[in-house]
Amino acid sequence: MLISACLMGQPCGVEGTDYGLGALRPTWLDDPRVRLHPFCPEDHGLGTPRTMPDLHGGDGFAVLDGTARVLDEHRTDLTEALLAGARAMLELARERAVDFAVLTDRSGACGSQVISIGCRFEEPVLHRRGVGVATALLLRHGIPVVSQRDPRTLGLLGSRLDPKHAPGPDVVDHHESAWVLRNLPLRGIPEPPGE
Ligand code: SF4
């Protein structure tokens, strides 16, 4: 299984922490039958610490297609670095023959449910449904991606190891959550002024 390195507690976040995510990952990931392959595409492409790569003009698929770019808070174009990180992540996934990936949502690289629209340091901070650059490349090559915010799917995966991990009837994935249904419309995705 491919996993965002920050979910494994590696300090690869933009400012050199794991964003506190390492302590929150599902316990079944530590089962010895699970082979984990951590990777950080942004650290690969840009190093750590780094400025904040955000998607401008579309999602990760649009970046792959050349119709959107990745810019940081200084408007420096980081598109090629993110693409390099995504390619390296795909290479690792293929080399290790992973079955699927668990990636950190909201990231311009690893997001798989929700991404920001433009710079996260500028008000108002806007979000949309969509995927980051690395996630888009994995999906295009047939590798399923689930986010750490998808407890229903993660619980179902964990239940294949032990039924005690099975999600309860009220547990939903992020795209089924009340917040996403209320705040992120499926159509009419806005772009901030000046995009
Ligand atoms: S690029 Fe992915 S692995 Fe790296 S810090 Fe961001 S979310 Fe975590």
Side-chain angles (χ1 to χ4, degrees), residues 4-6 12-13 19 39-42 50 104 107 109-110:
S4 291
C6 55
C12 55
Y19 304 127
F39 190 80
C40 175
E42 291 182 9
R50 56 187 173 275
T104 303
S107 157
C110 292

Side-chain angles (χ1 to χ4, degrees), residues 177-194:
S177 70
W179 186 87
V180 169
L181 294 174
R182 185 173 59 249
N183 293 301
L184 304 182
L186 278 168
R187 294 174 187 279
I189 294 168
E191 286 291 346

Side-chain angles (χ1 to χ4, degrees), residues 61-158:
F61 289 118
V63 173
L64 297 183
D65 294 338
T67 59
R69 306 298 290 172
V70 180
L71 308 178
D72 71 6
E73 61 269 36
H74 309 298
R75 289 293 196 265
T76 303
D77 195 317
L78 305 178
T79 306
E80 290 308 317
L82 265 278
L83 286 168
R87 290 188 198 108
M89 196 177 211
L90 174 64
E91 194 179 320
L92 178 71
R94 286 172 151 174
E95 181 188 301
R96 306 290 167 88
V98 303
D99 293 321
F100 61 96
V102 177
L103 303 186
T104 303
D105 201 28
R106 195 174 176 234
S107 157
C110 292
S112 62
Q113 287 274 29
V114 172
I115 51 174
S116 63
I117 301 173
C119 181
R120 273 174 275 181
F121 290 154
E122 293 173 5
E123 298 291 341
V125 181
L126 300 172
H127 293 91
R128 54 166 285 186
R129 301 185 195 212
V131 303
V133 180
T135 298
L137 193 63
L138 293 173
L139 291 173
R140 280 223 170 138
H141 288 82
I143 297 170
V145 177
V146 60
S147 97
Q148 93 285 9
R149 289 172 164 168
D150 295 331
R152 187 170 70 81
T153 298
L154 289 172
L156 289 170
L157 288 165

